[in-house]
Amino acid sequence: MLQFYTFWSSGIFRIGYRQVCRLTVTAADHHEALSILYRMFNVADLIPKNCQARFMGTGDIVLIDEGRKGQTYYRLCPDDWKRVER
């Protein structure tokens, strides 16, 4: 079970990132979690009410925090999610 997913917005001019939402999603692996988050933030009715987010787009970053297992960052690219080294 994976938990604590954070969606970071890249901004209009790609100058820095800001946290727009922190929530817990249950998924079997990172790929499933990213699919759930992409769908959640690209269907207007599914966006959580407490998140100040917009639709997820190319360049946005998702942080997957698995506690003791560590943190993993993924950037949404035109063809797929790419793991980002921090």
Side-chain angles (χ1 to χ4, degrees), residues 9-41:
S9 174
S10 55
I12 296 172
F13 298 107
R14 305 283 190 243
I15 301 173
Y17 289 84
R18 67 179 179 86
Q19 182 176 352
V20 295
C21 191
R22 183 174 180 93
L23 57 124
T24 301
V25 176
T26 302
D29 58 14
H30 290 191
H31 181 71
E32 181 182 355
L34 293 169
S35 296
I36 291 168
L37 290 172
Y38 184 81
R39 182 174 181 270
M40 182 184 300
F41 284 98

Side-chain angles (χ1 to χ4, degrees), residues 27 50 60:
N50 61 342
D60 290 339

